């Protein structure tokens, strides 16, 4: 796309995965590039930049350069109230998202883009698995895998399956996926949107903002926030809703695919026989099936892929069966809605591990499920007072601040047929580096049992 070539000089703000990818692609396409990070840049990323002679600055150096460029590509992690961003806005320098910049160089490739508060990574990875099963040459990019820009720079593909967060959608001007998927909208990251749920919902709908009538917008008809806002936007894409009101994967697919070729569509599969369990994963599978179907993947291939897919680490990951007790790692559940979905899928008495850095959780949202399915709560965090205060009148609550003691307690109070579920509903940074570290330490502690 020629419109991006107008910008001769580009400043890349942030040297994480998306920033490095944007810098590599910009350099490859003939732009003059400078990378700036307010923090220290990782050694391996400095090496990537040095290898292609891209200059960079870090730790407060080089900020005097920010107004000398035609275009700024901003890391999704940088908030709008950042001092440098405010100066750039005041100078009327265009700011672009990395996925938008990558889109401008995607050539004839097809794009399936997925967003939502929960389920993005599972659905994106499942669609990619379906495409690979169908022997479509597809790359997994965006919020998972390589950055979109780096993939285009190093190994372009005819298909890109792109996980996009609301942060990545905030500064798009051209991004037009062939298929856009919106899974759900629940409260999260509101600090980035002036604590306005409305602003956050608008950010999510940006995934379909530039679609045309030749594109598809696949959305969850059962999500109230989606259906409410759908009336506000004049979307040009062909609308394809999916629903689980019938509580049946077979009926849901039959109802959702009337306009498509449904010959042999895997509508006779039992939802609960598939590797991904729980109603939330039924939605993810519906979205993935529809995405693959509109892109021409055969029905028998979709069936094969759904049956062979393995869930991601740290997302409802079965770790071990010890003394008849199943241990499940759902460390990626960093908000209350994710934990609700995890509990909703439980069919056995559950010992729930909650806690970490609270993101303003309203635990009333999961209270009825806790009363129905949970026999005890074990807190894992430095400050568990909010959880203890809310649930201690309902069931036994244990206040613990290290993973080994948590697992020891879970082992002591569990009985054959129980489930020990790590689904914290909180961020991990009080005791762990990130949710992956929390999940890995959980798995190691389970294995030590």
């Amino acid at each position: 796309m020629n419109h991006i070539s107008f910008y001769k000089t580009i400043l890349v703000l942030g040297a994480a995965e998306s920033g490095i990818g944007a810098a590599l692609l910009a350099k490859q396409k003939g732009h003059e590039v400078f990378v700036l990070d307010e923090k220290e840049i990782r050694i391996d990323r400095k090496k990537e930049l040095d290898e292609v002679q891209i200059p960079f600055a870090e730790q407060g150096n080089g900020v005097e350069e920010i107004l000398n460029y035609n275009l700024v590509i901003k890391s999704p992690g940088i908030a709008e109230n950042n001092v440098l961003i405010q100066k750039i806005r005041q100078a009327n320098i265009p700011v672009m998202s990395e996925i938008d910049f990558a889109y401008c160089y995607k050539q004839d490739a097809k794009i399936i883009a997925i967003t939502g508060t929960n389920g993005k990574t599972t659905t994106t990875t499942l669609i990619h698995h379906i495409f690979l099963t169908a022997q479509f040459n597809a790359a997994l990019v965006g919020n998972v895998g390589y950055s979109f820009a780096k993939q285009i720079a190093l190994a372009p593909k005819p298909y890109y399956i792109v996980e996009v967060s609301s942060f990545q959608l905030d500064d798009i001007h051209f991004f037009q996926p062939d298929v856009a998927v919106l899974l759900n909208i629940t409260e999260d990251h509101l600090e980035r949107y002036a604590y306005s749920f409305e602003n956050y919902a608008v950010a999510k709908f940006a995934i379909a903002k530039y679609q045309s009538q030749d594109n598809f917008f696949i959305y969850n008809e059962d999500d109230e926030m989606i259906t409410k806002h759908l009336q506000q936007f004049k979307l040009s894409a062909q609308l394809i809703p999916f629903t689980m009101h019938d509580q049946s994967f077979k009926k849901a697919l039959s109802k959702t695919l009337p306009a498509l070729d449904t010959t042999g569509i895997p509508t006779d599969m039992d939802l609960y026989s598939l590797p991904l369990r729980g109603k939330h994963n039924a939605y993810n599978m519906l979205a993935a099936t529809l995405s693959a179907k509109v892109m021409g993947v055969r029905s028998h291939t979709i069936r094969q892929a759904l049956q062979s897919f393995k869930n991601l680490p740290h997302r409802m990951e079965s770790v071990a069966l010890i003394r008849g007790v199943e241990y499940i790692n759902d460390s990626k559940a960093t908000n209350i809605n994710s934990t609700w979905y995890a509990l909703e899928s439980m069919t056995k008495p559950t010992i729930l591990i909650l806690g970490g850095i609270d993101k303003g959780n309203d635990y009333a949202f999961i209270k009825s499920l806790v009363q129905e399915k949970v026999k005890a709560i074990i807190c894992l965090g430095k400050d568990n007072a909010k959880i203890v205060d809310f649930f201690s009148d309902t069931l036994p609550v244990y206040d613990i601040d290290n993973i080994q003691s948590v697992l020891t307690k879970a082992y002591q109070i569990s009985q054959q047929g129980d489930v020990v579920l790590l689904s914290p509903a909180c961020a991990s940074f009080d005791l762990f580096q990130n949710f992956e570290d929390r999940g890995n330490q959980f798995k190691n502690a389970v294995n030590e049992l």
Side-chain angles (χ1 to χ4, degrees), residues 321-327 348-351 375-376 409-420:
L321 187 68
I322 302 173
R323 203 185 61 179
V325 177
E326 185 180 10
Y327 291 78
K348 299 176 182 178
T350 301
I351 296 167
K375 60 187 291 186
K409 176 57 70 174
Y411 185 81
Q412 291 170 349
I413 65 176
S414 61
Q415 297 176 317
Q416 185 172 353
D418 288 351
V419 172
V420 175

Side-chain angles (χ1 to χ4, degrees), residues 170-224:
D170 283 341
D171 289 289
I172 61 168
H173 309 282
F174 308 104
F175 186 62
Q176 182 188 340
D178 296 273
V179 178
V181 178
L182 181 53
L183 297 167
N184 45 62
I185 304 175
T186 60
E187 291 190 11
D188 200 14
H189 302 301
L190 297 190
E191 71 282 359
R192 284 283 291 263
Y193 298 98
Y195 294 94
S196 166
F197 194 11
E198 185 73 19
N199 291 347
Y200 176 61
V202 170
K204 285 295 187 187
F205 264 92
I207 195 169
K209 187 175 182 179
Y210 298 107
Q211 285 190 297
S212 72
Q213 60 186 5
D214 296 325
N215 306 139
F216 298 95
F217 178 62
I218 297 172
Y219 67 96
N220 184 350
E221 191 177 43
D222 299 344
D223 188 287
E224 291 182 4

Side-chain angles (χ1 to χ4, degrees), residues 4 42 64 82 139 171 175 210 269 286 351 359 371 384:
I4 202 69
R42 263 176 29 185
E64 65 279 356
N82 178 278
D171 289 289
F175 186 62
Y210 298 107
M269 289 194 297
L286 282 169
I351 296 167
K359 300 161 80 174
Q371 291 173 328
N384 303 312

Side-chain angles (χ1 to χ4, degrees), residues 2 14 107 114 150 165 178 208 309 315 423 442:
N2 293 328
Q107 296 184 327
I114 302 91
K150 181 182 281 190
S165 69
D178 296 273
F309 182 70
R315 174 57 84 194
S423 190
F442 174 79

